Amino acid sequence: MRGRSPSRRLAAVTERVDGVVRELAVLEEQRRALADDVEELRVRALVAESPLPARELAEAERHSASLARGKAALEQELARLRQVQAELLGQVVFGDG
């Protein structure tokens, strides 16, 4: 991306920002749905007479932790992209670089 003009790089980064924002929205929707499932599984595990609900709960909690890690990584990527976007916007507007 370094050989392209700042305005073309800005367009590409802006497109990637939009993609990451969409990914975060999907991930958050999945996280909310899973949180409801985890809560239900937690109650079932407490009252269950077999170990199956506890295993299901553990699996759902692992999945929830994985979603949280994915969300954190996307949030970091979004922050990085927004920084690059701001720098490129400065180059486009002020002619730097």
Side-chain angles (χ1 to χ4, degrees):
M1 220 179 352
R2 291 283 177 219
R4 297 190 303 186
S5 72
S7 60
R8 293 181 101 182
R9 290 173 40 214
L10 178 59
V13 169
T14 298
E15 189 174 309
R16 180 63 184 134
V17 165
D18 292 344
V20 171
V21 167
R22 285 190 301 273
E23 288 179 56
L24 275 169
V26 169
L27 200 71
E28 181 57 23
E29 185 177 323
Q30 291 174 343
R31 191 203 60 77
R32 280 194 306 262
L34 184 58
D36 292 342
D37 291 346
V38 166
E39 193 55 38
E40 181 182 324
L41 287 168
R42 186 170 285 120
V43 170
R44 286 177 44 203
L46 286 173
V47 299
E49 295 180 11
S50 74
L52 181 60
R55 285 194 299 262
E56 291 173 341
L57 173 61
E59 182 179 331
E61 287 175 332
R62 282 192 300 275
H63 189 105
S64 181
S66 176
L67 286 177
R69 287 188 303 274
K71 181 181 178 191
L74 281 174
E75 287 171 339
Q76 287 179 347
E77 175 70 359
L78 183 59
R80 186 191 69 77
L81 287 169
R82 286 193 168 145
Q83 178 64 38
V84 170
Q85 190 178 39
E87 292 168 5
L88 289 169
L89 184 59
Q91 291 176 18
V92 169
V93 171
F94 300 111
D96 299 341

